Amino acid sequence: MSHKNFIKAAIKKPGALRATAKREGLVKGDQKLSKADLNKLEKSKSPKTRKRVQLAETLGKIRKGK
C-alpha cells in the first residue's frame, strides 16, 4: 500500500474493540487489553469483533523502526 499512514487508514473506528471489551467486563479503566482478553473476544459471535481482534493482533506484531 503506497499510502504513507496506511495503519491510520486501516482503523476505521478507533477504540471500538476496547469499548466492546469494557462492555464484556474484560477491562476496567485504563487497563490494557491482554492476549487472554483478545482470545476471549476472538470467540465472539460478532464477525466485526473477530475482525477487529485479528487487526489488533496483526498491529501488535508490527514493530517501530529500528
Side-chain angles (χ1 to χ4, degrees), residues 9-61:
I11 302 171
K12 301 295 182 198
K13 296 186 180 231
L17 183 60
R18 181 170 183 73
T20 301
K22 277 188 173 182
R23 278 195 305 273
E24 298 283 328
L26 298 175
V27 294
K28 296 176 184 169
D30 291 338
Q31 289 179 333
K32 289 187 176 184
L33 283 169
S34 67
K35 288 279 187 183
D37 295 334
L38 290 177
N39 287 338
K40 288 177 186 175
L41 287 172
E42 196 169 32
K43 296 173 183 165
S44 171
K45 291 181 181 180
S46 169
K48 240 180 210 188
T49 300
R50 291 193 307 260
K51 286 180 184 179
R52 286 177 177 148
V53 170
Q54 188 69 36
L55 179 62
E57 289 174 346
T58 302
L59 292 177
K61 295 175 186 176

